[in-house]
């Protein structure tokens, strides 16, 4: 349930400023979103995996905190990121 190196490199290239820009908040949110979608698929098959469910809730909370940080800092960047990641309808 981890992001493989190819997907990770693609996410960093798409959302970061360069290929080593893993600390950028946009990149971190995109990585968490990828992990959340993979974990959601896992939980559709394994509904009783409570540790995975707990991990999912923790990731969603961490992503929400990061999104709130971007929203306070730069509203246009927040809106662009949400639209790009298709997080909200």
């Amino acid at each position: 349930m981890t992001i493989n190196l190819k997907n990770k490199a693609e996410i960093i290239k798409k959302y970061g400023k360069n290929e080593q820009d893993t600390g950028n908040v946009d990149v971190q949110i995109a990585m968490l979103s990828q992990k959340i979608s993979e974990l959601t698929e896992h939980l559709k098959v394994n509904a009783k995996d409570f540790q995975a469910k707990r991990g999912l809730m923790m990731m969603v909370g961490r992503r929400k905190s990061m999104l709130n940080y971007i929203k306070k800092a730069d509203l246009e960047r927040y809106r662009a990121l949400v639209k790009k990641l298709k997080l909200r309808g």
Side-chain angles (χ1 to χ4, degrees):
M1 283 187 285
T2 59
I3 299 174
N4 64 29
L5 292 176
K6 183 180 177 205
N7 290 343
K8 188 174 185 178
E10 289 174 6
I11 290 171
I12 293 170
K13 188 181 287 187
K14 186 173 181 180
Y15 295 98
K17 295 175 184 159
N18 57 36
E19 287 146 14
Q20 286 81 31
D21 192 16
T22 58
N24 191 343
V25 180
D26 297 351
V27 174
Q28 291 181 26
I29 291 171
M31 293 250 214
L32 276 173
S33 297
Q34 179 68 30
K35 287 181 184 179
I36 287 170
S37 65
E38 289 176 3
L39 204 51
T40 303
E41 292 301 317
H42 168 76
L43 285 171
K44 286 180 183 175
V45 176
N46 305 300
K48 293 187 178 186
D49 189 353
F50 297 111
Q51 288 298 316
K53 194 177 290 188
R54 180 178 184 271
L56 175 67
M57 291 295 118
M58 290 171 60
M59 284 185 220
V60 169
R62 192 175 319 137
R63 182 178 71 181
K64 184 178 179 183
S65 299
M66 289 182 193
L67 282 169
N68 284 337
Y69 168 75
I70 289 182
K71 190 175 185 179
K72 287 180 188 176
D74 187 3
L75 188 60
E76 289 304 315
R77 181 174 156 200
Y78 166 79
R79 288 180 179 157
L81 183 63
V82 167
K83 189 174 184 178
K84 199 183 253 190
L85 290 172
K86 299 174 187 160
L87 293 179
R88 295 187 170 77

